[in-house]
Amino acid sequence: MTGETTHNLRGDYSGMRPDYTVDQAWSAYTPEEHALWRRLYARQAALVPRYACREFIDSLAALDFGDAIPRFDAVNPKLARATNWRIVAVPGLLPDRAFFEHLAHRRFPVTVWLRTPAEFDYIVEPDVFHDFFGHVPLLFDPVFADYLQAYGKGGLKADALGAIEMLSRLYWYTVEFGLIATPAGVRAYGAGILSSGGELPYCIESDAPNRIGFDLLRIMRTRYKIDTFQETYFVIRDFRELFEATAPDFTPYYAELSHREPILPGAVLATDPVVRSEPPSANT
Ligand code: PHE
Ligand code: CO
């Protein structure tokens, strides 16, 4: 995640390197933490066949990391072969620039600490379960992987242009909470929903939220809430659409958006292409 402050963060930032990385210290995880991981994984893995996009389902099955908190070092050779990405261990949320630098160099920062059992159902800050389960599988998709790197480079540019708030909305509504239209129906690819036991069925099946076709400028005007289920999701056709729509230079977009009002999280505009989502049938 990005676009948030780094005040009062959980996590130990004392021993990190200048780029905010740390050692994962895998041996320091307790048996209780591994057991909590197994429970979190089992719940999410059971939901994924119904609600996740194909690319995520296939990666998750190939990685098979449900038995214990994964060793980051064990995943990296596979990731290097697939898309030349790697994951790096970090104490928690990073300042925007440090985060963008990692993405721009095809490094995905993964938080080392795991939530407490009391946070089984709900956590606001990203922990190792959110970061790893939610984000790592799609790093194996070549087009999505290229999009994420381009986003990192775009972040450094947005920072120079004072446009991080607008760009962060794009990350939020794609990488964290994105939906994708597939032949079988609307499915999830955003890490914030794929790692949530409650929001994953909700984002596909509930009548409450809006589902709107992807529109880059619309998204960059739309505010978001970080502590409730989303009121609006944006639906891409495929990762190619995401990559191509974001390829142009954003400088003129930022200039135009800077004198337009933000759109509220729950608003639907007359021009919005609303997408229908049906409950997945039992055999999908
Ligand atoms: N093309 C964008 C720019 O010039 C960068 C970007 C790429 C942003 C992909 C987001 C995602 O700023
Ligand atoms: Co995230």
Side-chain angles (χ1 to χ4, degrees), residues 23 37 48 74-75 86 90 132 155 157 167 177 185 191 219 223 228 250 257 266 281:
D23 289 327
W37 175 278
V48 155
V75 183
R86 67 191 167 95
V90 294
F132 201 103
K157 185 160 114 193
L167 191 69
F177 291 94
I219 289 175
R223 291 209 174 123
T228 60
F250 281 16
L257 293 176
S281 58

Side-chain angles (χ1 to χ4, degrees), residues 108-121:
F108 194 82
V110 176
T111 300
V112 291
W113 56 265
L114 183 67
R115 68 192 69 187
T116 67
E119 294 165 311
F120 187 72
D121 284 320

Side-chain angles (χ1 to χ4, degrees), residues 1 130-131 135 176:
M1 300 200 198
H130 164 81
D131 281 341
H135 288 285
E176 293 294 354

Side-chain angles (χ1 to χ4, degrees), residues 2-283:
T2 181
E4 289 145 34
T5 72
T6 47
H7 302 300
N8 305 317
L9 291 177
R10 263 160 86 168
D12 178 6
Y13 290 76
S14 63
M16 67 188 185
R17 303 176 191 96
D19 67 354
Y20 281 78
T21 61
V22 295
D23 289 327
Q24 187 189 8
W26 189 84
S27 324
Y29 294 120
T30 65
E32 291 73 25
E33 287 175 316
H34 289 299
L36 177 58
W37 175 278
R38 277 193 290 279
R39 284 208 293 137
L40 286 162
Y41 185 98
R43 173 179 61 181
Q44 281 326 100
L47 295 170
V48 155
R50 253 172 105 80
Y51 302 111
C53 66
R54 171 59 45 201
E55 294 84 349
F56 185 91
I57 295 171
D58 290 347
S59 260
L60 192 71
L63 286 170
D64 189 21
F65 52 77
D67 289 343
I69 299 171
R71 294 178 190 261
F72 300 172
D73 288 346
V75 183
N76 274 336
K78 299 178 191 173
L79 199 45
R81 277 196 298 278
T83 57
N84 200 31
W85 271 73
R86 67 191 167 95
I87 57 180
V88 290
V90 294
L93 286 169
L94 304 192
D96 292 321
R97 282 199 68 89
F99 182 68
F100 296 144
E101 282 287 354
H102 283 300
L103 298 186
H105 292 92
R106 297 177 91 84
R107 297 187 298 261
F108 194 82
V110 176
T111 300
V112 291
W113 56 265
L114 183 67
R115 68 192 69 187
T116 67
E119 294 165 311
F120 187 72
D121 284 320
Y122 192 74
I123 185 165
V124 178
E125 267 182 73
D127 69 339
V128 61
F129 185 74
H130 164 81
D131 281 341
F132 201 103
F133 186 98
H135 288 285
V136 171
L138 279 189
L139 297 177
F140 284 81
D141 181 82
V143 179
F144 185 84
D146 284 349
Y147 167 69
L148 203 54
Q149 177 181 28
Y151 178 88
K153 293 182 183 170
L156 295 168
K157 185 160 114 193
D159 186 29
L161 296 169
I164 285 187
E165 189 181 12
M166 287 179 250
L167 191 69
S168 297
R169 293 175 182 147
L170 177 63
Y171 190 88
W172 188 264
Y173 284 118
T174 61
V175 178
E176 293 294 354
F177 291 94
L179 298 182
I180 183 167
T182 79
V186 175
R187 296 289 183 269
Y189 73 90
I193 33 190
L194 287 165
S195 62
S196 163
E199 192 158 359
L200 186 47
Y202 170 90
C203 74
I204 305 294
E205 290 181 338
S206 171
D207 289 333
N210 313 310
R211 299 176 191 84
I212 298 173
F214 178 84
D215 175 339
L216 176 63
L217 292 173
R218 160 66 158 104
I219 289 175
M220 291 204 288
R221 285 176 63 197
T222 308
R223 291 209 174 123
Y224 57 82
K225 295 185 182 163
I226 67 162
D227 55 1
T228 60
F229 289 176
Q230 300 302 302
E231 292 172 69
T232 299
Y233 301 95
F234 291 92
V235 186
I236 61 171
R237 282 192 302 273
D238 50 35
F239 294 134
R240 189 56 63 192
E241 175 186 33
L242 196 52
F243 185 81
E244 284 170 6
T246 54
D249 180 3
F250 281 16
T251 310
Y253 299 165
Y254 295 145
E256 189 199 319
L257 293 176
S258 68
H259 38 82
R260 305 196 62 178
E261 285 295 306
I263 300 168
L264 295 177
V268 181
L269 311 181
T271 47
D272 283 337
V274 173
V275 178
R276 275 179 50 78
S277 178
E278 292 176 12
S281 58
N283 60 354

